[in-house]
Amino acid sequence: MSALLADTPEDILLENAIRDARARGLPFAGSVPPVEAWALVESGRAVLVDVRSSGYVPGSIHVAWASGTALTRNPRFLRELEARVGKSDVLLLLCRSGKRSALAAEAATKIGFTAAFNVADGFEGELDGEGRRGRLGGWRLHGLKWVQD
């Protein structure tokens, strides 16, 4: 991927995420913070794939990683992803906390997607000291676009 990137701020951001992922031994391209992820989407440099089972970000592609109250893994996830985006597209995968989207990015990478990134902190971020989400980081805390169903 490195040889294909120019020296735009967006490309430098992705290169840094790739370097960090390699240094940490991550099995996918890397993680991108929510604000930077949205900038990549707005610039047309990346495709946002919302893998949550409910809610969505306008302009994103929705492919649920899991569904139901037990969050049962969607056995068609990879086929659905392949039908919606190209394997060389820069993908930014978003879930509630960044954990399921990291698993989705790993699965996508294993079948040949070359630039599957996780959106760090996900939609609601990590749990705070009171066991609540939405206070420590994530897409919503930064005031980025979203719709609740």
Side-chain angles (χ1 to χ4, degrees):
M1 183 170 158
S2 298
L4 300 176
L5 298 179
D7 288 328
T8 66
E10 293 88 0
D11 293 334
I12 292 168
L13 170 71
L14 293 172
E15 286 286 345
N16 288 337
I18 291 166
R19 265 193 295 282
D20 180 64
R22 287 181 182 152
R24 295 174 46 207
L26 296 179
F28 52 90
S31 292
V32 176
V35 172
E36 288 83 353
W38 183 244
L40 287 165
V41 171
E42 284 192 311
S43 73
R45 183 68 180 91
V47 176
L48 183 65
V49 180
D50 196 330
V51 303
R52 296 175 298 151
S53 54
S54 64
Y56 67 95
V57 173
S60 69
I61 293 172
H62 181 257
V63 182
W65 173 254
S67 63
T69 55
L71 291 176
T72 304
R73 168 103 193 288
N74 174 3
R76 298 174 311 279
F77 174 79
L78 292 171
R79 285 192 306 271
E80 291 175 17
L81 188 64
E82 285 179 304
R84 310 276 310 270
V85 295
K87 287 196 173 178
S88 63
D89 290 345
V90 174
L91 305 181
L92 300 167
L93 294 110
L94 173 73
C95 73
R96 183 182 68 181
S97 68
K99 291 176 178 52
R100 284 175 287 150
S101 52
L103 294 172
E106 178 180 356
T109 300
K110 283 182 181 175
I111 66 159
F113 283 87
T114 59
F117 293 84
N118 178 44
V119 176
D121 299 326
F123 182 76
E124 294 183 0
E126 290 294 327
L127 294 171
D128 66 11
E130 297 175 13
R132 296 181 184 174
R133 293 190 189 277
R135 297 178 178 179
L136 296 179
W139 192 272
R140 185 174 65 176
L141 183 71
H142 291 288
L144 301 170
K145 293 181 181 182
W146 63 284
V147 174
Q148 184 173 353
D149 0 309

